[in-house]
Amino acid sequence: MTLLQVMADSDREQVLLRTTDVATIAAELAPHGVVLEQWDTVPLARDAGQDEVLAAYRSDVDKVSAEGGYKLVDVARIVPDDNNPEWPAIAKGAREKFLNEHTHDEDEVRFFVEGRGCFYLHFGDKVYAVVCEAGDLMSVPAGTTHWFDMGQRPEFCAIRFFQEEDGWVAGFTGDGIATRMPTLDELLVSA
């Protein structure tokens, strides 16, 4: 379920809005230049590689790339592997890489092919937690302070759009706000 929860940045318990209505979510995000769209999903094999994923969404990928000037497109996939004793460390490392508030010099555009993740957008004195799932396209403008949580047991496949190879390098703010907000898993429990 796509979900938006808006909270005061000083008090995670002060929930100002919580909704699963996609039109309401898109309308709440639009004044900040954030775009949320929903695409039809295409059934793919669980182990579909980058070429298969991009081929399945070629027309949508080409449209977004042309409209946004995105020159590079790839696919990020993380799937739990309980047979790999290294899996918990791999999952923890992947998750922690994105859990601190940061900005980018270019837009962060992601289409969720499978699974889910949560973008936390920090605007003024509010945090907008946006849980995206399969079928959601999220575009966060360059310079937006945010972080991303893929949950304790990450599982997703996302198409990522880039304008430049180094444009997605994170500039961390040093603010520990992410540790004071509910995690993706906590948001889903209260759903």
PDB file of all heavy atoms in Angstrom, residues 10-33:
ATOM      1  N   SER A  10       9.889  17.686  15.045  1.00  0.00           N
ATOM      2  CA  SER A  10      10.322  17.693  16.439  1.00  0.00           C
ATOM      3  C   SER A  10       9.622  16.637  17.291  1.00  0.00           C
ATOM      4  O   SER A  10      10.010  16.407  18.434  1.00  0.00           O
ATOM      5  CB  SER A  10      10.062  19.071  17.048  1.00  0.00           C
ATOM      6  OG  SER A  10       8.672  19.368  16.985  1.00  0.00           O
ATOM      7  N   ASP A  11       8.592  15.978  16.726  1.00  0.00           N
ATOM      8  CA  ASP A  11       7.809  15.023  17.511  1.00  0.00           C
ATOM      9  C   ASP A  11       7.148  14.002  16.580  1.00  0.00           C
ATOM     10  O   ASP A  11       6.133  14.296  15.959  1.00  0.00           O
ATOM     11  CB  ASP A  11       6.748  15.765  18.317  1.00  0.00           C
ATOM     12  CG  ASP A  11       5.890  14.853  19.181  1.00  0.00           C
ATOM     13  OD1 ASP A  11       6.139  13.620  19.216  1.00  0.00           O
ATOM     14  OD2 ASP A  11       4.960  15.362  19.821  1.00  0.00           O
ATOM     15  N   ARG A  12       7.717  12.825  16.505  1.00  0.00           N
ATOM     16  CA  ARG A  12       7.202  11.775  15.620  1.00  0.00           C
ATOM     17  C   ARG A  12       5.777  11.356  15.953  1.00  0.00           C
ATOM     18  O   ARG A  12       5.072  10.790  15.127  1.00  0.00           O
ATOM     19  CB  ARG A  12       8.137  10.572  15.628  1.00  0.00           C
ATOM     20  CG  ARG A  12       8.120   9.828  16.943  1.00  0.00           C
ATOM     21  CD  ARG A  12       9.138   8.729  17.032  1.00  0.00           C
ATOM     22  NE  ARG A  12       8.532   7.444  16.806  1.00  0.00           N
ATOM     23  CZ  ARG A  12       9.207   6.373  16.451  1.00  0.00           C
ATOM     24  NH1 ARG A  12      10.495   6.435  16.260  1.00  0.00           N
ATOM     25  NH2 ARG A  12       8.597   5.233  16.267  1.00  0.00           N
ATOM     26  N   GLU A  13       5.353  11.625  17.188  1.00  0.00           N
ATOM     27  CA  GLU A  13       3.994  11.273  17.603  1.00  0.00           C
ATOM     28  C   GLU A  13       2.963  12.289  17.110  1.00  0.00           C
ATOM     29  O   GLU A  13       1.775  12.016  17.133  1.00  0.00           O
ATOM     30  CB  GLU A  13       3.914  11.140  19.122  1.00  0.00           C
ATOM     31  CG  GLU A  13       4.854  10.088  19.706  1.00  0.00           C
ATOM     32  CD  GLU A  13       4.596   8.692  19.166  1.00  0.00           C
ATOM     33  OE1 GLU A  13       3.420   8.332  18.968  1.00  0.00           O
ATOM     34  OE2 GLU A  13       5.582   7.970  18.935  1.00  0.00           O
ATOM     35  N   GLN A  14       3.426  13.445  16.677  1.00  0.00           N
ATOM     36  CA  GLN A  14       2.517  14.474  16.178  1.00  0.00           C
ATOM     37  C   GLN A  14       2.283  14.231  14.686  1.00  0.00           C
ATOM     38  O   GLN A  14       2.937  14.810  13.827  1.00  0.00           O
ATOM     39  CB  GLN A  14       3.090  15.867  16.416  1.00  0.00           C
ATOM     40  CG  GLN A  14       2.098  16.966  16.072  1.00  0.00           C
ATOM     41  CD  GLN A  14       2.674  18.356  16.325  1.00  0.00           C
ATOM     42  OE1 GLN A  14       3.741  18.523  16.876  1.00  0.00           O
ATOM     43  NE2 GLN A  14       1.930  19.360  15.895  1.00  0.00           N
ATOM     44  N   VAL A  15       1.328  13.348  14.401  1.00  0.00           N
ATOM     45  CA  VAL A  15       0.995  12.990  13.023  1.00  0.00           C
ATOM     46  C   VAL A  15      -0.027  13.992  12.503  1.00  0.00           C
ATOM     47  O   VAL A  15      -1.130  14.110  13.045  1.00  0.00           O
ATOM     48  CB  VAL A  15       0.467  11.542  12.938  1.00  0.00           C
ATOM     49  CG1 VAL A  15       0.029  11.201  11.525  1.00  0.00           C
ATOM     50  CG2 VAL A  15       1.521  10.562  13.443  1.00  0.00           C
ATOM     51  N   LEU A  16       0.358  14.697  11.466  1.00  0.00           N
ATOM     52  CA  LEU A  16      -0.488  15.745  10.903  1.00  0.00           C
ATOM     53  C   LEU A  16      -1.404  15.223   9.804  1.00  0.00           C
ATOM     54  O   LEU A  16      -2.470  15.787   9.550  1.00  0.00           O
ATOM     55  CB  LEU A  16       0.393  16.876  10.363  1.00  0.00           C
ATOM     56  CG  LEU A  16       1.407  17.431  11.378  1.00  0.00           C
ATOM     57  CD1 LEU A  16       2.385  18.371  10.712  1.00  0.00           C
ATOM     58  CD2 LEU A  16       0.679  18.105  12.522  1.00  0.00           C
ATOM     59  N   LEU A  17      -0.969  14.146   9.154  1.00  0.00           N
ATOM     60  CA  LEU A  17      -1.751  13.535   8.079  1.00  0.00           C
ATOM     61  C   LEU A  17      -1.261  12.111   7.881  1.00  0.00           C
ATOM     62  O   LEU A  17      -0.047  11.852   7.915  1.00  0.00           O
ATOM     63  CB  LEU A  17      -1.577  14.314   6.769  1.00  0.00           C
ATOM     64  CG  LEU A  17      -2.211  13.700   5.514  1.00  0.00           C
ATOM     65  CD1 LEU A  17      -3.739  13.701   5.619  1.00  0.00           C
ATOM     66  CD2 LEU A  17      -1.768  14.454   4.269  1.00  0.00           C
ATOM     67  N   ARG A  18      -2.196  11.202   7.676  1.00  0.00           N
ATOM     68  CA  ARG A  18      -1.858   9.823   7.322  1.00  0.00           C
ATOM     69  C   ARG A  18      -2.912   9.363   6.328  1.00  0.00           C
ATOM     70  O   ARG A  18      -4.110   9.377   6.635  1.00  0.00           O
ATOM     71  CB  ARG A  18      -1.841   8.922   8.547  1.00  0.00           C
ATOM     72  CG  ARG A  18      -1.401   7.496   8.234  1.00  0.00           C
ATOM     73  CD  ARG A  18      -1.295   6.662   9.500  1.00  0.00           C
ATOM     74  NE  ARG A  18      -1.077   5.273   9.194  1.00  0.00           N
ATOM     75  CZ  ARG A  18       0.110   4.669   9.160  1.00  0.00           C
ATOM     76  NH1 ARG A  18       1.200   5.362   9.423  1.00  0.00           N
ATOM     77  NH2 ARG A  18       0.213   3.399   8.866  1.00  0.00           N
ATOM     78  N   THR A  19      -2.464   8.974   5.125  1.00  0.00           N
ATOM     79  CA  THR A  19      -3.413   8.576   4.089  1.00  0.00           C
ATOM     80  C   THR A  19      -2.789   7.562   3.133  1.00  0.00           C
ATOM     81  O   THR A  19      -1.585   7.563   2.919  1.00  0.00           O
ATOM     82  CB  THR A  19      -3.919   9.806   3.293  1.00  0.00           C
ATOM     83  OG1 THR A  19      -4.883   9.374   2.330  1.00  0.00           O
ATOM     84  CG2 THR A  19      -2.768  10.518   2.580  1.00  0.00           C
ATOM     85  N   THR A  20      -3.665   6.736   2.559  1.00  0.00           N
ATOM     86  CA  THR A  20      -3.261   5.815   1.497  1.00  0.00           C
ATOM     87  C   THR A  20      -3.890   6.214   0.164  1.00  0.00           C
ATOM     88  O   THR A  20      -3.729   5.501  -0.824  1.00  0.00           O
ATOM     89  CB  THR A  20      -3.665   4.364   1.844  1.00  0.00           C
ATOM     90  OG1 THR A  20      -5.078   4.308   2.056  1.00  0.00           O
ATOM     91  CG2 THR A  20      -2.929   3.870   3.085  1.00  0.00           C
ATOM     92  N   ASP A  21      -4.579   7.341   0.142  1.00  0.00           N
ATOM     93  CA  ASP A  21      -5.202   7.814  -1.089  1.00  0.00           C
ATOM     94  C   ASP A  21      -4.123   8.450  -1.972  1.00  0.00           C
ATOM     95  O   ASP A  21      -3.550   9.488  -1.621  1.00  0.00           O
ATOM     96  CB  ASP A  21      -6.292   8.837  -0.767  1.00  0.00           C
ATOM     97  CG  ASP A  21      -6.967   9.338  -2.020  1.00  0.00           C
ATOM     98  OD1 ASP A  21      -7.807   8.601  -2.581  1.00  0.00           O
ATOM     99  OD2 ASP A  21      -6.629  10.463  -2.457  1.00  0.00           O
ATOM    100  N   VAL A  22      -3.852   7.827  -3.109  1.00  0.00           N
ATOM    101  CA  VAL A  22      -2.743   8.259  -3.965  1.00  0.00           C
ATOM    102  C   VAL A  22      -2.951   9.673  -4.491  1.00  0.00           C
ATOM    103  O   VAL A  22      -1.998  10.456  -4.581  1.00  0.00           O
ATOM    104  CB  VAL A  22      -2.517   7.245  -5.118  1.00  0.00           C
ATOM    105  CG1 VAL A  22      -1.452   7.744  -6.078  1.00  0.00           C
ATOM    106  CG2 VAL A  22      -2.117   5.891  -4.547  1.00  0.00           C
ATOM    107  N   ALA A  23      -4.172  10.049  -4.812  1.00  0.00           N
ATOM    108  CA  ALA A  23      -4.430  11.412  -5.300  1.00  0.00           C
ATOM    109  C   ALA A  23      -4.112  12.443  -4.210  1.00  0.00           C
ATOM    110  O   ALA A  23      -3.515  13.488  -4.492  1.00  0.00           O
ATOM    111  CB  ALA A  23      -5.879  11.548  -5.763  1.00  0.00           C
ATOM    112  N   THR A  24      -4.489  12.151  -2.978  1.00  0.00           N
ATOM    113  CA  THR A  24      -4.182  13.048  -1.860  1.00  0.00           C
ATOM    114  C   THR A  24      -2.680  13.125  -1.638  1.00  0.00           C
ATOM    115  O   THR A  24      -2.122  14.211  -1.419  1.00  0.00           O
ATOM    116  CB  THR A  24      -4.892  12.579  -0.576  1.00  0.00           C
ATOM    117  OG1 THR A  24      -6.303  12.565  -0.808  1.00  0.00           O
ATOM    118  CG2 THR A  24      -4.577  13.485   0.597  1.00  0.00           C
ATOM    119  N   ILE A  25      -2.007  11.975  -1.700  1.00  0.00           N
ATOM    120  CA  ILE A  25      -0.549  11.945  -1.516  1.00  0.00           C
ATOM    121  C   ILE A  25       0.126  12.814  -2.578  1.00  0.00           C
ATOM    122  O   ILE A  25       0.970  13.660  -2.265  1.00  0.00           O
ATOM    123  CB  ILE A  25      -0.016  10.504  -1.564  1.00  0.00           C
ATOM    124  CG1 ILE A  25      -0.570   9.684  -0.392  1.00  0.00           C
ATOM    125  CG2 ILE A  25       1.522  10.488  -1.563  1.00  0.00           C
ATOM    126  CD1 ILE A  25      -0.311   8.190  -0.487  1.00  0.00           C
ATOM    127  N   ALA A  26      -0.236  12.607  -3.827  1.00  0.00           N
ATOM    128  CA  ALA A  26       0.362  13.381  -4.928  1.00  0.00           C
ATOM    129  C   ALA A  26       0.113  14.874  -4.738  1.00  0.00           C
ATOM    130  O   ALA A  26       1.012  15.702  -4.963  1.00  0.00           O
ATOM    131  CB  ALA A  26      -0.182  12.905  -6.266  1.00  0.00           C
ATOM    132  N   ALA A  27      -1.092  15.233  -4.302  1.00  0.00           N
ATOM    133  CA  ALA A  27      -1.427  16.646  -4.098  1.00  0.00           C
ATOM    134  C   ALA A  27      -0.626  17.250  -2.942  1.00  0.00           C
ATOM    135  O   ALA A  27      -0.228  18.414  -3.006  1.00  0.00           O
ATOM    136  CB  ALA A  27      -2.926  16.799  -3.839  1.00  0.00           C
ATOM    137  N   GLU A  28      -0.384  16.492  -1.893  1.00  0.00           N
ATOM    138  CA  GLU A  28       0.408  16.971  -0.753  1.00  0.00           C
ATOM    139  C   GLU A  28       1.876  17.172  -1.135  1.00  0.00           C
ATOM    140  O   GLU A  28       2.541  18.077  -0.620  1.00  0.00           O
ATOM    141  CB  GLU A  28       0.310  15.990   0.426  1.00  0.00           C
ATOM    142  CG  GLU A  28      -1.017  15.980   1.120  1.00  0.00           C
ATOM    143  CD  GLU A  28      -1.302  17.267   1.896  1.00  0.00           C
ATOM    144  OE1 GLU A  28      -0.362  17.837   2.484  1.00  0.00           O
ATOM    145  OE2 GLU A  28      -2.471  17.694   1.917  1.00  0.00           O
ATOM    146  N   LEU A  29       2.387  16.329  -2.024  1.00  0.00           N
ATOM    147  CA  LEU A  29       3.797  16.392  -2.408  1.00  0.00           C
ATOM    148  C   LEU A  29       4.071  17.431  -3.496  1.00  0.00           C
ATOM    149  O   LEU A  29       5.170  17.994  -3.558  1.00  0.00           O
ATOM    150  CB  LEU A  29       4.260  15.016  -2.886  1.00  0.00           C
ATOM    151  CG  LEU A  29       4.208  13.884  -1.849  1.00  0.00           C
ATOM    152  CD1 LEU A  29       4.559  12.559  -2.503  1.00  0.00           C
ATOM    153  CD2 LEU A  29       5.115  14.186  -0.668  1.00  0.00           C
ATOM    154  N   ALA A  30       3.099  17.672  -4.338  1.00  0.00           N
ATOM    155  CA  ALA A  30       3.288  18.549  -5.502  1.00  0.00           C
ATOM    156  C   ALA A  30       3.821  19.943  -5.174  1.00  0.00           C
ATOM    157  O   ALA A  30       4.710  20.432  -5.883  1.00  0.00           O
ATOM    158  CB  ALA A  30       1.988  18.645  -6.304  1.00  0.00           C
ATOM    159  N   PRO A  31       3.347  20.618  -4.119  1.00  0.00           N
ATOM    160  CA  PRO A  31       3.884  21.959  -3.825  1.00  0.00           C
ATOM    161  C   PRO A  31       5.390  21.965  -3.537  1.00  0.00           C
ATOM    162  O   PRO A  31       6.030  23.005  -3.615  1.00  0.00           O
ATOM    163  CB  PRO A  31       3.093  22.402  -2.582  1.00  0.00           C
ATOM    164  CG  PRO A  31       1.838  21.602  -2.616  1.00  0.00           C
ATOM    165  CD  PRO A  31       2.227  20.288  -3.222  1.00  0.00           C
ATOM    166  N   HIS A  32       5.945  20.809  -3.236  1.00  0.00           N
ATOM    167  CA  HIS A  32       7.383  20.689  -2.953  1.00  0.00           C
ATOM    168  C   HIS A  32       8.159  20.224  -4.189  1.00  0.00           C
ATOM    169  O   HIS A  32       9.362  19.959  -4.094  1.00  0.00           O
ATOM    170  CB  HIS A  32       7.602  19.716  -1.796  1.00  0.00           C
ATOM    171  CG  HIS A  32       6.871  20.117  -0.554  1.00  0.00           C
ATOM    172  ND1 HIS A  32       7.257  21.180   0.235  1.00  0.00           N
ATOM    173  CD2 HIS A  32       5.745  19.617   0.014  1.00  0.00           C
ATOM    174  CE1 HIS A  32       6.415  21.306   1.247  1.00  0.00           C
ATOM    175  NE2 HIS A  32       5.485  20.386   1.132  1.00  0.00           N
ATOM    176  N   GLY A  33       7.462  20.096  -5.323  1.00  0.00           N
ATOM    177  CA  GLY A  33       8.109  19.662  -6.553  1.00  0.00           C
ATOM    178  C   GLY A  33       8.309  18.161  -6.644  1.00  0.00           C
ATOM    179  O   GLY A  33       8.960  17.662  -7.558  1.00  0.00           O
TER     180      GLY A  33
END
